[in-house]
Amino acid sequence: MKKFTQKLFIFILSLMLNIAYTSDSSSDPSDAVAQYQLGLKYQNGTGIEQDFKRSVELYTLAANQGYAAAQNSLGVAYETGDGITQNYELALQWYKLAAAQNHTWAYFNQAAMYENGRGVTKDLELAISLYQLAADKGLTFSQQHVNRIRADINNYNDALAKTILKIRNDADQGDALAQVKLGFLYEKGEQLDQDLNLALKWYQLAADQGNANAQSNLGLMYKYARGVTQDFNTAFKYFLLAANQGYVTGQYNLGGMYKFGEGTTKDLNEALKWFQLAADQGSAVAQIEI
């Protein structure tokens, strides 16, 4: 009986060792497909104890051999931080390598990063194109993402157009605040095509009504030659008008004009005075000057 028990123990032990060996190896250690499939088992805990770190090791081996599915899975690991330190840059790098081999999910995963701005500058148009590539390769629900983003863009553009139309109408009616807003839109050139001449026009109309924001913006345009010839004297004039109304940006920039003698005689006491007033209103850049 004792010998039988010993033999049974040895048999069970050898069986366990054999299972452990075969579950974490392949007939060819360089077989990328086998490495990837084993990585999936470790990731999902299929027939083996779940181990994200080990799955990443196996994905890396397969990915470095150019296996697209492993490259995509390694990208997912870097994006989620499962089994490895989260790194969006490396996630995108691996997605791109897999996508270069037309891997469907790599297109989709890249698209999600660009849609949500994860580790990259948000780019909805690029997200749409990548989602569309995934959809064209049979990932049907990816088309839903394309349709949703396009609808969101259209709704945003419609709402923006209505907002800009109202601002323009109010500006035409002489509303100083609307004139400043319209000037800003033309100056920045994001929602409207940039036109510095129109920006100056609308700032000037608002400034003539005593709007401090417009006066300060005009000062900046004259100081930095945005749409006009550089003119420190005129810049100083508008900064002073804005500052005298307690406008913090005007106060800070007026301090700078006194500090460097631009458009006025250099006067460090006056500079400190205006910097202090701006700092008292919470201006972080002014606080550095005092």
Side-chain angles (χ1 to χ4, degrees):
M1 182 68 182
K2 185 177 180 181
K3 289 183 179 180
F4 174 80
T5 304
Q6 289 176 337
K7 289 180 179 180
L8 180 62
F9 173 78
I10 293 171
F11 172 76
I12 293 172
L13 180 61
S14 64
L15 182 62
M16 291 175 65
L17 289 172
N18 185 57
I19 291 171
Y21 173 76
T22 57
S23 66
D24 199 10
S25 63
S26 66
S27 57
D28 182 356
S30 66
D31 185 346
V33 176
Q35 290 164 346
Y36 169 69
Q37 291 174 344
L38 185 56
L40 282 176
K41 289 182 179 181
Y42 273 109
Q43 179 182 349
N44 299 318
T46 306
I48 199 167
E49 185 177 351
Q50 190 174 52
D51 187 337
F52 289 118
K53 184 177 179 181
R54 181 61 178 145
S55 73
V56 169
E57 292 172 352
L58 290 160
Y59 288 151
T60 302
L61 290 171
N64 284 331
Q65 295 180 69
Y67 190 57
Q71 291 170 337
N72 178 69
S73 291
L74 189 55
V76 172
Y78 275 113
E79 185 178 355
T80 60
D82 288 335
I84 200 164
T85 302
Q86 189 175 56
N87 188 319
Y88 288 140
E89 183 179 347
L90 287 176
L92 188 64
Q93 175 183 312
W94 285 110
Y95 288 151
K96 286 183 176 180
L97 287 171
Q101 299 186 64
N102 293 317
H103 191 277
T104 304
W105 277 102
Y107 289 131
F108 183 89
N109 291 332
Q110 278 190 84
M113 293 189 77
Y114 281 108
E115 179 188 357
N116 297 293
R118 285 199 295 272
V120 292
T121 301
K122 190 171 184 176
D123 189 333
L124 294 181
E125 291 300 330
L126 181 54
I128 287 174
S129 67
L130 289 165
Y131 277 136
Q132 190 63 63
L133 284 170
D136 292 344
K137 286 182 64 61
L139 199 61
T140 54
F141 67 85
S142 189
Q143 187 65 52
Q144 297 173 10
H145 289 269
V146 172
N147 297 339
R148 173 180 52 76
I149 296 174
R150 282 178 175 162
D152 288 344
I153 290 174
N154 290 336
N155 291 336
Y156 171 80
N157 288 338
D158 288 345
L160 179 63
K162 291 177 182 177
T163 299
I164 291 175
L165 180 61
K166 185 179 187 310
I167 291 172
R168 193 185 299 279
N169 288 337
D170 290 345
D172 286 336
Q173 295 298 316
D175 185 309
L177 182 58
Q179 290 170 342
V180 174
K181 290 179 179 178
L182 192 54
F184 183 81
L185 290 172
Y186 278 120
E187 182 185 1
K188 296 305 176 184
E190 294 176 359
Q191 285 79 27
L192 292 174
D193 290 338
Q194 188 178 55
D195 190 325
L196 296 181
N197 289 326
L198 284 175
L200 282 163
K201 167 192 169 181
W202 290 110
Y203 284 153
Q204 188 68 64
L205 288 169
D208 290 345
Q209 294 190 66
N211 184 281
N213 189 348
Q215 291 165 345
S216 181
N217 289 350
L218 274 178
L220 288 169
M221 295 192 80
Y222 277 104
K223 180 176 181 178
Y224 295 108
R226 290 182 55 77
V228 291
T229 302
Q230 189 174 55
D231 187 338
F232 287 139
N233 291 328
T234 302
F236 178 86
K237 166 190 167 183
Y238 283 113
F239 287 145
L240 180 61
L241 287 170
N244 281 331
Q245 294 191 68
Y247 191 68
V248 63
T249 305
Q251 291 172 337
Y252 169 74
N253 283 299
L254 185 61
M257 301 297 276
Y258 276 115
K259 178 179 179 179
F260 297 106
E262 296 171 335
T264 188
T265 303
K266 184 175 181 178
D267 189 330
L268 296 182
N269 289 328
E270 277 293 305
L272 184 59
K273 165 190 166 183
W274 290 107
F275 285 144
Q276 185 66 63
L277 287 169
D280 290 344
Q281 293 195 68
S283 170
V285 287
Q287 289 166 1
I288 295 172
E289 298 287 348
I290 58 178

